[in-house]
Amino acid sequence: MSEPQFRSDRIATVAIIGGGLIGGSWIAFFLSRGLAVRVHDPRPDAEATIRPIVERALADLAQLAPLAPLPAMSAAALEFCTELEDAVARADYVQENAPEVLDLKRSLLARIDAAAAPDVLIGSSTSSLRATDLQRDCKHPQRVMVAHPFNPPHLVPLVELVRGDKTAPEAQDAAYLWFVSLGKAPIRVIREARGHVANRMSSALWREAVHIVAEGIASVEDVDRAIRFGPGLRWAVDGPHMLYHLGGGEGGMADYLAHLGPAQEARWAELGAPVLDGRTRELLVAGVTDEAGSRSIADLASARDRRLIAVLQALDETS
Protein backbone atom coordinates (compact mmCIF):
# COMPACT_ATOMS: atom_id res chain seq x y z
CA MET A 1 0.00 0.00 0.00
CA SER A 2 1.43 3.39 -1.02
CA GLU A 3 1.97 6.13 1.52
CA PRO A 4 -0.61 8.98 1.50
CA GLN A 5 0.39 12.17 -0.27
CA PHE A 6 0.13 15.13 2.07
CA ARG A 7 -0.97 18.27 0.26
CA SER A 8 -1.18 21.84 1.53
CA ASP A 9 -3.25 23.20 -1.36
CA ARG A 10 -6.53 21.32 -0.95
CA ILE A 11 -7.57 22.07 2.62
CA ALA A 12 -11.04 23.60 2.64
CA THR A 13 -12.52 22.27 5.90
CA VAL A 14 -10.91 22.22 9.34
CA ALA A 15 -12.03 20.21 12.37
CA ILE A 16 -11.47 21.81 15.77
CA ILE A 17 -11.50 19.35 18.67
CA GLY A 18 -11.86 21.29 21.91
CA GLY A 19 -13.21 24.82 21.82
CA GLY A 20 -11.88 26.67 24.85
CA LEU A 21 -9.93 29.90 24.61
CA ILE A 22 -7.35 28.37 22.27
CA GLY A 23 -9.87 26.39 20.22
CA GLY A 24 -12.22 29.37 19.89
CA SER A 25 -9.36 31.56 18.75
CA TRP A 26 -8.34 28.94 16.18
CA ILE A 27 -11.95 28.79 14.93
CA ALA A 28 -12.02 32.53 14.30
CA PHE A 29 -8.67 32.48 12.55
CA PHE A 30 -9.66 29.67 10.18
CA LEU A 31 -13.05 31.29 9.45
CA SER A 32 -11.28 34.56 8.65
CA ARG A 33 -9.27 32.70 6.03
CA GLY A 34 -12.41 31.48 4.26
CA LEU A 35 -12.27 27.92 5.58
CA ALA A 36 -15.24 25.91 6.79
CA VAL A 37 -14.90 24.79 10.42
CA ARG A 38 -16.43 21.77 12.15
CA VAL A 39 -16.23 21.91 15.95
CA HIS A 40 -16.52 19.17 18.54
CA ASP A 41 -16.47 19.97 22.24
CA PRO A 42 -18.03 17.57 24.79
CA ARG A 43 -19.44 20.29 27.08
CA PRO A 44 -23.27 20.51 27.03
CA ASP A 45 -23.10 24.29 26.61
CA ALA A 46 -20.23 24.21 24.15
CA GLU A 47 -21.84 26.22 21.36
CA ALA A 48 -23.19 28.90 23.70
CA THR A 49 -19.76 29.20 25.34
CA ILE A 50 -17.65 29.12 22.19
CA ARG A 51 -19.58 31.45 19.89
CA PRO A 52 -18.87 34.60 21.96
CA ILE A 53 -15.14 33.73 21.95
CA VAL A 54 -15.25 33.41 18.17
CA GLU A 55 -17.20 36.63 17.73
CA ARG A 56 -14.72 38.63 19.84
CA ALA A 57 -11.78 37.14 17.95
CA LEU A 58 -13.39 37.91 14.58
CA ALA A 59 -13.89 41.50 15.73
CA ASP A 60 -10.15 41.65 16.49
CA LEU A 61 -9.29 40.25 13.08
CA ALA A 62 -11.61 42.71 11.35
CA GLN A 63 -9.34 45.50 12.61
CA LEU A 64 -6.42 43.93 10.71
CA ALA A 65 -8.24 43.18 7.44
CA PRO A 66 -11.80 43.58 6.14
CA LEU A 67 -13.97 40.59 7.01
CA ALA A 68 -17.55 39.56 6.38
CA PRO A 69 -18.49 38.42 9.91
CA LEU A 70 -22.03 37.23 9.14
CA PRO A 71 -21.07 34.83 6.31
CA ALA A 72 -18.10 33.67 8.40
CA MET A 73 -20.46 32.68 11.22
CA SER A 74 -23.10 31.08 8.98
CA ALA A 75 -24.18 27.48 9.49
CA ALA A 76 -22.42 26.51 6.27
CA ALA A 77 -19.07 27.83 7.51
CA LEU A 78 -19.31 26.98 11.22
CA GLU A 79 -20.94 23.77 12.43
CA PHE A 80 -20.97 22.27 15.90
CA CYS A 81 -20.87 18.48 15.90
CA THR A 82 -22.07 16.31 18.76
CA GLU A 83 -19.77 13.44 17.76
CA LEU A 84 -16.03 13.81 17.31
CA GLU A 85 -16.04 11.34 14.43
CA ASP A 86 -18.62 13.39 12.52
CA ALA A 87 -16.47 16.52 12.75
CA VAL A 88 -13.28 14.73 11.75
CA ALA A 89 -14.65 12.57 8.92
CA ARG A 90 -15.47 15.66 6.83
CA ALA A 91 -12.26 17.56 7.54
CA ASP A 92 -9.12 18.16 5.49
CA TYR A 93 -7.11 19.21 8.56
CA VAL A 94 -7.66 18.58 12.28
CA GLN A 95 -6.50 20.79 15.17
CA GLU A 96 -6.79 19.18 18.63
CA ASN A 97 -6.97 21.57 21.62
CA ALA A 98 -7.81 19.37 24.60
CA PRO A 99 -6.44 20.12 28.11
CA GLU A 100 -2.74 19.40 28.70
CA VAL A 101 -3.27 15.84 29.95
CA LEU A 102 -1.26 13.19 28.11
CA ASP A 103 -3.68 10.28 28.44
CA LEU A 104 -6.63 12.44 27.37
CA LYS A 105 -4.84 13.83 24.34
CA ARG A 106 -3.45 10.43 23.38
CA SER A 107 -6.93 8.90 23.48
CA LEU A 108 -8.47 11.75 21.48
CA LEU A 109 -5.75 11.63 18.85
CA ALA A 110 -6.24 7.89 18.43
CA ARG A 111 -9.96 8.50 17.82
CA ILE A 112 -9.20 11.36 15.44
CA ASP A 113 -6.68 9.22 13.58
CA ALA A 114 -9.20 6.39 13.21
CA ALA A 115 -11.90 8.70 11.83
CA ALA A 116 -9.86 10.92 9.51
CA ALA A 117 -8.90 10.06 5.94
CA PRO A 118 -5.28 8.81 5.72
CA ASP A 119 -4.00 11.98 4.00
CA VAL A 120 -5.48 14.40 6.57
CA LEU A 121 -2.89 16.20 8.69
CA ILE A 122 -3.47 16.22 12.46
CA GLY A 123 -1.99 18.86 14.76
CA SER A 124 -2.04 19.14 18.54
CA SER A 125 -1.99 22.49 20.32
CA THR A 126 0.07 21.12 23.22
CA SER A 127 2.54 23.54 24.77
CA SER A 128 4.86 20.94 26.31
CA LEU A 129 3.94 17.34 25.46
CA ARG A 130 6.01 15.37 22.96
CA ALA A 131 4.52 14.37 19.62
CA THR A 132 6.14 10.94 20.02
CA ASP A 133 4.10 10.33 23.16
CA LEU A 134 0.91 11.74 21.66
CA GLN A 135 0.99 9.64 18.48
CA ARG A 136 1.72 6.34 20.26
CA ASP A 137 -1.75 4.78 19.82
CA CYS A 138 -2.43 6.11 16.30
CA LYS A 139 -2.56 3.71 13.37
CA HIS A 140 -1.35 6.46 11.02
CA PRO A 141 1.16 8.31 13.22
CA GLN A 142 3.05 9.65 10.21
CA ARG A 143 0.53 12.52 9.87
CA VAL A 144 0.33 13.43 13.59
CA MET A 145 2.46 16.30 14.91
CA VAL A 146 2.49 19.11 17.42
CA ALA A 147 1.05 22.32 15.94
CA HIS A 148 1.47 24.64 18.91
CA PRO A 149 0.23 28.23 18.62
CA PHE A 150 0.99 31.16 20.87
CA ASN A 151 -2.00 32.57 22.72
CA PRO A 152 -4.13 34.09 21.26
CA PRO A 153 -3.77 32.08 18.02
CA HIS A 154 -5.99 34.38 15.97
CA LEU A 155 -3.49 37.22 16.47
CA VAL A 156 -0.04 35.78 17.22
CA PRO A 157 1.43 34.38 13.98
CA LEU A 158 3.76 31.73 15.44
CA VAL A 159 2.95 28.02 15.03
CA GLU A 160 5.55 25.48 16.24
CA LEU A 161 5.45 22.32 14.12
CA VAL A 162 7.15 19.44 15.91
CA ARG A 163 7.61 15.97 14.47
CA GLY A 164 7.40 12.86 16.60
CA ASP A 165 9.51 9.78 15.98
CA LYS A 166 6.94 8.50 13.49
CA THR A 167 5.87 11.77 11.86
CA ALA A 168 6.73 11.91 8.17
CA PRO A 169 8.92 14.90 7.22
CA GLU A 170 6.57 15.37 4.26
CA ALA A 171 3.66 15.87 6.67
CA GLN A 172 5.54 18.55 8.59
CA ASP A 173 6.53 20.24 5.32
CA ALA A 174 2.93 20.21 4.06
CA ALA A 175 1.68 21.71 7.34
CA TYR A 176 4.41 24.35 7.13
CA LEU A 177 3.40 25.40 3.61
CA TRP A 178 -0.27 25.47 4.53
CA PHE A 179 0.21 27.69 7.57
CA VAL A 180 2.41 30.02 5.51
CA SER A 181 -0.38 30.27 2.93
CA LEU A 182 -2.77 31.33 5.72
CA GLY A 183 -0.48 34.12 6.86
CA LYS A 184 0.99 32.33 9.88
CA ALA A 185 4.69 32.22 10.77
CA PRO A 186 5.38 28.52 11.35
CA ILE A 187 8.70 27.01 12.39
CA ARG A 188 9.95 23.45 11.96
CA VAL A 189 11.30 22.11 15.25
CA ILE A 190 14.19 19.79 14.40
CA ARG A 191 14.29 17.77 17.63
CA GLU A 192 11.70 17.29 20.36
CA ALA A 193 12.30 19.15 23.63
CA ARG A 194 9.97 19.91 26.53
CA GLY A 195 8.30 23.24 25.79
CA HIS A 196 9.43 23.16 22.14
CA VAL A 197 11.27 26.42 21.27
CA ALA A 198 9.29 29.54 22.19
CA ASN A 199 8.07 28.34 25.58
CA ARG A 200 11.58 27.28 26.55
CA MET A 201 12.85 30.78 25.80
CA SER A 202 9.85 32.34 27.55
CA SER A 203 10.52 30.15 30.59
CA ALA A 204 14.15 31.22 30.67
CA LEU A 205 13.15 34.88 30.63
CA TRP A 206 10.48 34.44 33.31
CA ARG A 207 12.89 32.50 35.53
CA GLU A 208 15.17 35.52 35.64
CA ALA A 209 12.18 37.85 36.04
CA VAL A 210 11.11 35.87 39.11
CA HIS A 211 14.68 35.87 40.43
CA ILE A 212 14.89 39.66 40.11
CA VAL A 213 11.68 40.07 42.10
CA ALA A 214 12.64 37.48 44.72
CA GLU A 215 16.03 39.14 45.25
CA GLY A 216 14.51 42.58 45.65
CA ILE A 217 16.25 44.01 42.57
CA ALA A 218 13.02 45.41 41.09
CA SER A 219 9.25 45.13 41.48
CA VAL A 220 6.94 42.95 39.42
CA GLU A 221 5.60 46.02 37.61
CA ASP A 222 9.03 47.42 36.83
CA VAL A 223 10.26 44.07 35.54
CA ASP A 224 7.26 43.98 33.20
CA ARG A 225 7.90 47.58 32.11
CA ALA A 226 11.54 46.79 31.44
CA ILE A 227 10.59 44.05 29.00
CA ARG A 228 7.63 45.87 27.41
CA PHE A 229 9.55 49.06 26.67
CA GLY A 230 12.99 47.56 26.10
CA PRO A 231 13.82 44.09 24.76
CA GLY A 232 10.18 43.28 23.99
CA LEU A 233 9.97 46.07 21.43
CA ARG A 234 13.11 44.87 19.68
CA TRP A 235 12.06 41.22 19.82
CA ALA A 236 8.86 42.16 18.01
CA VAL A 237 10.90 43.04 14.93
CA ASP A 238 13.94 40.72 15.16
CA GLY A 239 14.98 37.58 16.99
CA PRO A 240 17.74 37.46 19.63
CA HIS A 241 20.46 36.17 17.31
CA MET A 242 19.80 38.82 14.66
CA LEU A 243 19.69 41.57 17.29
CA TYR A 244 23.12 40.60 18.61
CA HIS A 245 24.35 40.35 15.01
CA LEU A 246 23.26 43.98 14.58
CA GLY A 247 24.85 44.81 17.95
CA GLY A 248 28.23 43.86 16.50
CA GLY A 249 28.14 46.72 14.01
CA GLU A 250 29.79 46.16 10.63
CA GLY A 251 31.50 43.04 11.95
CA GLY A 252 28.17 41.48 12.91
CA MET A 253 27.92 38.48 15.19
CA ALA A 254 31.61 37.64 14.94
CA ASP A 255 32.60 41.04 16.32
CA TYR A 256 29.89 40.95 18.97
CA LEU A 257 31.14 37.61 20.26
CA ALA A 258 34.75 38.76 20.18
CA HIS A 259 34.14 42.01 22.05
CA LEU A 260 31.06 41.38 24.19
CA GLY A 261 30.95 37.60 24.49
CA PRO A 262 32.80 37.68 27.86
CA ALA A 263 30.26 40.19 29.21
CA GLN A 264 27.44 37.88 28.17
CA GLU A 265 29.08 34.96 29.92
CA ALA A 266 29.53 37.05 33.06
CA ARG A 267 25.80 37.83 33.07
CA TRP A 268 24.93 34.18 32.43
CA ALA A 269 27.01 33.21 35.46
CA GLU A 270 24.92 35.45 37.71
CA LEU A 271 21.47 34.46 36.44
CA GLY A 272 19.26 33.06 39.16
CA ALA A 273 17.56 29.73 39.74
CA PRO A 274 14.54 30.77 41.82
CA VAL A 275 12.23 28.37 43.64
CA LEU A 276 8.48 28.98 43.64
CA ASP A 277 8.22 28.65 47.41
CA GLY A 278 5.60 30.32 49.58
CA ARG A 279 7.42 33.62 49.93
CA THR A 280 8.16 33.93 46.21
CA ARG A 281 4.58 33.10 45.28
CA GLU A 282 3.31 35.74 47.68
CA LEU A 283 5.63 38.33 46.13
CA LEU A 284 4.48 37.49 42.60
CA VAL A 285 0.77 37.46 43.44
CA ALA A 286 0.98 40.70 45.38
CA GLY A 287 3.09 42.34 42.68
CA VAL A 288 0.84 41.44 39.77
CA THR A 289 -2.24 42.37 41.81
CA ASP A 290 -0.76 45.83 42.33
CA GLU A 291 0.13 46.09 38.65
CA ALA A 292 -3.35 45.05 37.51
CA GLY A 293 -5.09 47.45 39.88
CA SER A 294 -8.86 47.44 39.38
CA ARG A 295 -8.66 45.80 35.94
CA SER A 296 -10.24 42.34 35.64
CA ILE A 297 -8.72 39.43 33.72
CA ALA A 298 -11.13 40.22 30.87
CA ASP A 299 -10.00 43.87 30.90
CA LEU A 300 -6.35 42.86 30.86
CA ALA A 301 -6.86 40.36 28.03
CA SER A 302 -8.75 42.96 25.98
CA ALA A 303 -5.96 45.49 26.50
CA ARG A 304 -3.37 42.87 25.52
CA ASP A 305 -5.25 42.11 22.31
CA ARG A 306 -5.53 45.81 21.43
CA ARG A 307 -1.77 46.18 21.85
CA LEU A 308 -1.14 43.06 19.75
CA ILE A 309 -3.36 44.44 16.99
CA ALA A 310 -1.46 47.74 17.07
CA VAL A 311 1.88 45.92 16.84
CA LEU A 312 0.67 43.74 13.96
CA GLN A 313 -0.65 46.80 12.12
CA ALA A 314 2.68 48.56 12.57
CA LEU A 315 4.64 45.53 11.42
CA ASP A 316 2.40 45.19 8.36
CA GLU A 317 2.99 48.84 7.44
CA THR A 318 6.78 48.44 7.62
CA SER A 319 7.07 45.01 5.97
Side-chain angles (χ1 to χ4, degrees):
M1 183 181 298
S2 60
E3 290 293 320
Q5 298 297 308
F6 300 110
R7 295 271 301 277
S8 61
D9 59 352
R10 59 187 181 192
I11 298 175
T13 301
V14 174
I16 297 292
I17 307 303
L21 286 175
I22 299 299
S25 183
W26 269 128
I27 292 167
F29 174 76
F30 290 130
L31 287 173
S32 76
R33 297 309 189 262
L35 298 165
V37 181
R38 306 290 175 255
V39 183
H40 169 74
D41 187 296
R43 293 174 294 175
D45 62 344
E47 183 171 354
T49 301
I50 294 169
R51 278 191 180 272
I53 298 173
V54 176
E55 289 167 356
R56 287 194 295 270
L58 284 173
D60 288 343
L61 288 164
Q63 297 181 58
L64 295 172
L67 297 177
L70 291 178
M73 292 289 281
S74 70
L78 178 59
E79 179 182 348
F80 289 83
C81 303
T82 303
E83 300 298 327
L84 177 148
E85 286 76 12
D86 184 36
V88 170
R90 294 177 289 149
D92 307 309
Y93 174 82
V94 181
Q95 185 74 34
E96 171 270 311
N97 315 285
E100 200 82 342
V101 179
L102 177 58
D103 288 344
L104 172 61
K105 283 183 174 286
R106 184 182 282 159
S107 173
L108 282 174
L109 287 165
R111 287 178 61 192
I112 292 168
D113 177 62
D119 60 348
V120 170
L121 298 169
I122 301 171
S124 173
S125 290
T126 178
S127 61
S128 61
L129 299 175
R130 298 170 68 245
T132 296
D133 297 328
L134 294 170
Q135 66 188 190
R136 189 193 70 179
D137 298 333
C138 295
K139 293 183 179 179
H140 306 283
Q142 68 272 16
R143 42 72 173 280
V144 178
M145 72 193 81
V146 167
H148 173 241
F150 246 47
N151 187 33
H154 69 284
L155 293 178
V156 181
L158 176 67
V159 183
E160 297 177 301
L161 300 173
V162 191
R163 296 202 313 260
D165 288 348
K166 296 181 180 179
T167 309
E170 296 80 8
Q172 186 187 43
D173 289 342
Y176 182 93
L177 291 173
W178 181 59
F179 278 114
V180 167
S181 75
L182 297 178
K184 284 291 191 183
I187 65 168
R188 299 179 182 91
V189 179
I190 299 170
R191 183 170 65 84
E192 289 180 301
R194 184 182 296 278
H196 319 316
V197 173
N199 269 337
R200 290 179 70 88
M201 292 189 291
S202 297
S203 294
L205 172 63
W206 194 50
R207 180 173 66 180
E208 186 57 24
V210 171
H211 174 69
I212 288 171
V213 171
E215 292 297 305
I217 299 170
S219 69
V220 166
E221 182 172 5
D222 281 341
V223 169
D224 283 356
R225 286 174 63 83
I227 295 302
R228 284 181 62 200
F229 297 109
L233 285 175
R234 298 199 304 173
W235 290 333
V237 296
D238 266 317
H241 298 304
M242 184 56 68
L243 285 170
Y244 284 124
H245 179 58
L246 293 172
E250 291 300 320
M253 179 66 87
D255 274 9
Y256 178 86
L257 293 174
H259 296 292
L260 295 172
Q264 273 287 12
E265 290 184 312
R267 288 195 292 270
W268 287 346
E270 292 190 7
L271 293 178
V275 177
L276 294 175
D277 55 17
R279 173 184 171 274
T280 302
R281 294 183 187 210
E282 289 176 3
L283 286 170
L284 296 176
V285 171
V288 80
T289 299
D290 288 343
E291 184 179 357
S294 61
R295 295 173 294 173
S296 67
I297 292 294
D299 293 336
L300 293 166
S302 178
R304 174 205 63 193
D305 291 352
R306 289 196 301 272
R307 290 193 292 269
L308 283 172
I309 289 167
V311 169
L312 290 168
Q313 289 171 330
L315 289 174
D316 184 60
E317 290 172 1
T318 59
S319 61

